[in-house]
Amino acid sequence: MNEQPLVSVIIPNYNYASTIGECIRAAKNQTYPAVEVIVADDASTDDSVAIARALDVTVLQVPVNSGVSTARNLGARHAKGEVLFFVDSDVALDPDAVERAVDHLREEPQLGAICGMYRAEPMFPDSLVKRYRAIQQYVWFCEVEGAIPGLHSALFAMKKETFLEIGEFNDRLRWTEEQDYGFRLNARYEVKAVPTIRGRHDHDGTLRVMLTKVFNRTRLGAPNWLRLNKLPGGAGTGYRALGSAFLLAAVIALASSAVLGPWALLAAAVLTGISIGLDKRTYGYAYRHHGILFGLQFTVLHLLVTLTSAVAASIGILQGLLFPRMTRRLYRVENPA
């Protein structure tokens, strides 16, 4: 790799007018001197393209809305850089993010990709759900520092030659494209996540949107985790998966209380306590850093997310067991084994 390779910062975008300006300004305001910024727009219908053009960056457009994979692939095809830095349009990079990514790729040539992590504060802290999600993902990402079995696609860098070798993102996938690409990349290279490459993420602002995203990603990802016998880390760690199962059992016990009486209520309380205990780091961070009132609000939201994950994983695993051929056709994944 050259001493100071050109870095192409690729920003896939679809209707993120509220954040695209902050994202582009952060990408342009890097301490690293050799950066080109490319916005790959996926047929947006809001003002995001106009905002991007006004900030004097390269704007590419997909003619028909086709998903984030198509946008990322379009940006990579037109990138002039020796290094590709993908960042989502709702993430504002820290000023030294690109410089640190290049340092890692230069010092560790065996790396397939170097991934960054979200800060504990959202880009715009204007809702309780955003503040919850920022803390949740901050704690989970910090736990998977070092080599990871997947990919943090919201902010990561890789050599362009590696991207050309692995191939493009699977444009058939709308919810699990990063899981697919992470498994393919790990089959040949090491992928690392580091806390020194940071960005502020504008997390989902409503409960409905957040739970829908959690459900879809978990349901579609679960059969593939089962097939490869691997969990992606973060939310998908062994003890968190077990905690989700305990919480689902608690809800089942609660639903049966009309028949089984107070013993079912006691069982539900115990099972819920075990679930919370298995994920005590996440709950603990919220209480330690934001106090009891926010901690209680955080607990309610996190229990809802955990339960949603449990239901979605159960459905996804069942689908994987009953329809294995459909799962294999859905994922274009190389088995590392």
Side-chain angles (χ1 to χ4, degrees):
M1 195 163 71
N2 294 327
E3 189 63 27
Q4 278 195 328
L6 177 66
V7 177
S8 299
V9 177
I10 299 169
I11 304 170
N13 173 71
Y14 177 65
N15 286 350
Y16 274 93
S18 61
T19 60
I20 188 73
E22 190 77 9
C23 174
I24 292 172
R25 282 187 284 269
K28 294 181 71 173
N29 189 32
Q30 290 293 306
T31 57
Y32 189 79
V35 172
E36 69 164 353
V37 179
I38 298 173
V39 173
D41 184 74
D42 189 23
S44 291
T45 57
D46 65 1
D47 295 331
S48 51
V49 169
I51 293 169
R53 285 180 173 151
L55 291 169
D56 194 28
V57 296
T58 299
V59 178
L60 308 171
Q61 290 184 277
V62 178
V64 179
N65 179 254
S66 305
V68 67
S69 294
T70 299
R72 288 192 182 117
N73 294 337
L74 177 65
R77 286 187 215 118
H78 287 79
K80 299 175 183 175
E82 189 178 343
V83 173
L84 308 180
F85 194 123
F86 293 92
V87 58
D88 284 356
S89 53
D90 55 358
V91 176
L93 295 173
D94 282 8
D96 61 353
V98 170
E99 182 177 358
R100 291 180 180 275
V102 171
D103 287 344
H104 278 281
L105 292 174
R106 182 184 293 115
E107 293 166 6
E108 303 178 77
Q110 78 283 0
L111 283 180
I114 187 72
C115 303
M117 301 181 184
Y118 297 145
R119 286 194 172 274
E121 307 81 25
M123 184 189 294
F124 302 118
D126 50 10
S127 79
L128 174 64
V129 173
K130 285 185 180 182
R131 294 175 63 206
Y132 156 77
R133 192 68 162 159
I135 290 171
Q136 176 211 37
Q137 296 201 349
Y138 172 78
V139 173
W140 290 359
F141 279 166
C142 285
E143 288 180 0
V144 293
E145 179 182 353
I148 58 174
L151 182 75
H152 298 166
S153 65
L155 62 165
F156 78 98
M158 65 190 303
K159 298 174 188 175
K160 188 172 184 179
E161 64 180 352
T162 305
F163 180 83
L164 294 174
E165 177 190 345
I166 299 301
E168 296 186 336
F169 283 87
N170 187 343
D171 58 13
R172 292 177 298 152
L173 304 179
R174 290 292 187 116
W175 295 100
T176 56
E177 79 289 335
E178 70 172 17
Q179 296 173 24
D180 167 75
Y181 203 84
F183 282 127
R184 288 159 54 199
L185 192 55
N186 270 275
R188 304 187 191 185
Y189 293 98
E190 183 177 54
V191 178
K192 279 188 176 180
V194 294
T196 53
I197 300 172
R198 291 287 196 194
R200 290 177 295 115
H201 183 216
D202 189 49
H203 295 269
D204 300 315
T206 67
L207 186 63
R208 180 186 63 81
V209 172
M210 178 181 67
L211 292 181
T212 298
K213 185 177 292 185
V214 169
F215 180 86
N216 284 326
R217 286 180 173 171
T218 305
R219 181 182 66 84
L220 293 170
N224 203 44
W225 306 337
L226 180 68
R227 187 172 69 87
L228 296 177
N229 195 28
K230 276 191 175 184
L231 289 171
T237 53
Y239 61 90
R240 285 202 177 95
L242 186 61
S244 296
F246 274 110
L247 186 60
L248 181 58
V251 171
I252 294 172
L254 185 63
S256 65
S257 61
V259 177
L260 301 179
W263 287 109
L265 295 176
L266 177 61
V270 171
L271 291 168
T272 301
I274 294 172
S275 175
I276 291 173
L278 286 168
D279 199 7
K280 61 184 178 182
R281 293 179 185 174
T282 308
Y283 293 100
Y285 184 96
Y287 281 92
R288 283 195 312 273
H289 293 272
H290 297 277
I292 294 177
L293 178 59
F294 178 82
L296 292 172
Q297 295 171 323
F298 182 96
T299 298
V300 173
L301 290 174
H302 198 51
L303 287 173
L304 284 172
V305 167
T306 302
L307 180 61
T308 300
S309 298
V311 173
S314 300
I315 294 172
I317 290 171
L318 187 61
Q319 288 175 331
L321 292 172
L322 294 178
F323 309 105
R325 291 184 180 178
M326 182 184 299
T327 303
R328 284 194 293 271
R329 285 197 302 268
L330 181 62
Y331 289 93
R332 189 185 66 196
V333 180
E334 298 178 36
N335 193 329

